Amino acid sequence: MIPLGHYLVVSAIMFAIGTAGVFLRRNLITILLSIEIMLNAVNLSFVAFGRSQGTVDGQIITFFVMTVAAAEAAVGLAIVIALFRHRESLNPDAFTSLKW
Amino acid sequence: MLETVLFYVFSAVAVGASLLVIGQRNPMYSIMLLIAAFGALSALYIQLDAPFVAMAQIIVYAGAIMVLFLFVVMLLNAPQEDAAQWDRTHPLRRPGVSRFGAMLAVLLTVQLVWALLRVTDAGAAVGGRGNAAELTSVRSVGRVLFTDYMFAFEATSVLILVAMVGAVLLAAREEQR
């Protein structure tokens, strides 16, 4: 059997990768993808903790996280489309003014 | 033994594909690699006796959310990251500042690993407690979801409605508003 700690280490590595992506990349689409990586890393530790406790609650919280991720992706991509229409760019440094 | 080998193989695929996601310049490749990472994660979920989550991962994440991302990338038609001139002029890209940022990132990783190594029952096998047959069945997941988590489930439907209205409002053209 695989120890709980191994799943947690995989989850922590994926979360760190997602964080690095949010800070390092200069593309709004890739930043949203990095947020999805972070959400999935957290999902993995939820399911691993739920399995180690012997309950289904971890799976159910994962279900809710997936729903929130879908809503976040829809709204985030709509914002990206609206921003791209104004500036013809996906670089977050292009959107420094609050009003134009 | 086979279980351990499969765990390491799928973990390596998930971590490697995630690393490549943030290393690509073309968002189209990033999305394809992220789908590969999600497939490996769903294999890990099956090892954790959660086939419902594994299937939802494939169908909802890889099938719906990633296709939405693909749609937007194709719609915008701006695949390459135009970061070169911003990087040269950006104040955060000076050598001293970026070295400080890299040091903070390494510190975060060290802190996470150190904290995980000190978890008390981290060495216990993950499948030690609970009845695997009951955890695996979708029936028990559904029973808990529609009794204990009923309010959260209904609140989720309101959340999706709000997200739908917000997305339509944000993406609509200016003159139509």
Side-chain angles (χ1 to χ4, degrees), chain A residues 49-100:
Chain A
F49 273 123
R51 181 66 189 91
S52 81
Q53 297 293 320
T55 63
V56 294
D57 297 278
Q59 300 183 43
I60 288 167
I61 291 176
T62 302
F63 170 79
F64 287 126
V65 171
M66 278 185 194
T67 321
V68 172
E72 171 252 327
V75 175
L77 287 172
I79 292 174
V80 167
I81 290 175
L83 287 173
F84 186 79
R85 223 177 256 147
H86 277 286
R87 286 291 164 96
E88 292 291 317
S89 167
L90 286 179
N91 192 331
D93 291 335
F95 313 111
T96 48
S97 52
L98 287 176
K99 189 180 178 187
W100 61 75

Side-chain angles (χ1 to χ4, degrees), chain B residues 87-106:
Chain B
D87 281 356
R88 259 180 266 118
T89 56
H90 200 278
L92 285 179
R93 288 302 171 114
R94 280 179 319 201
V97 180
S98 67
R99 216 170 289 141
F100 181 65
M103 196 189 74
L104 284 184
V106 171

Side-chain angles (χ1 to χ4, degrees), chain B residues 18-132:
Chain B
S18 311
L19 265 179
L20 287 173
V21 165
I22 68 167
Q24 300 292 322
R25 286 225 167 262
N26 189 336
M28 196 71 92
Y29 296 153
S30 295
I31 292 168
M32 293 299 174
L33 285 163
L34 195 52
I35 291 175
F38 288 169
L41 272 180
S42 78
L44 290 183
Y45 290 148
I46 286 177
Q47 280 201 316
L48 283 168
D49 296 325
F52 170 71
V53 176
M55 286 305 117
Q57 175 89 5
I58 296 281
I59 295 170
V60 177
Y61 255 117
I65 301 182
M66 286 303 117
V67 170
L68 192 65
F69 274 93
L70 274 180
F71 254 53
V72 171
V73 169
M74 291 178 181
L75 181 73
L76 296 183
N77 199 18
Q80 298 300 326
E81 188 170 326
D82 50 348
Q85 76 273 22
W86 295 93
D87 281 356
R88 259 180 266 118
T89 56
H90 200 278
L92 285 179
R93 288 302 171 114
R94 280 179 319 201
V97 180
S98 67
R99 216 170 289 141
F100 181 65
M103 196 189 74
L104 284 184
V106 171
L107 269 181
L108 172 69
T109 312
V110 168
Q111 191 179 14
L112 276 176
V113 170
W114 182 75
L116 284 177
L117 287 179
R118 291 174 63 89
V119 176
T120 48
D121 57 348
V126 77
R129 269 192 263 175
N131 180 8

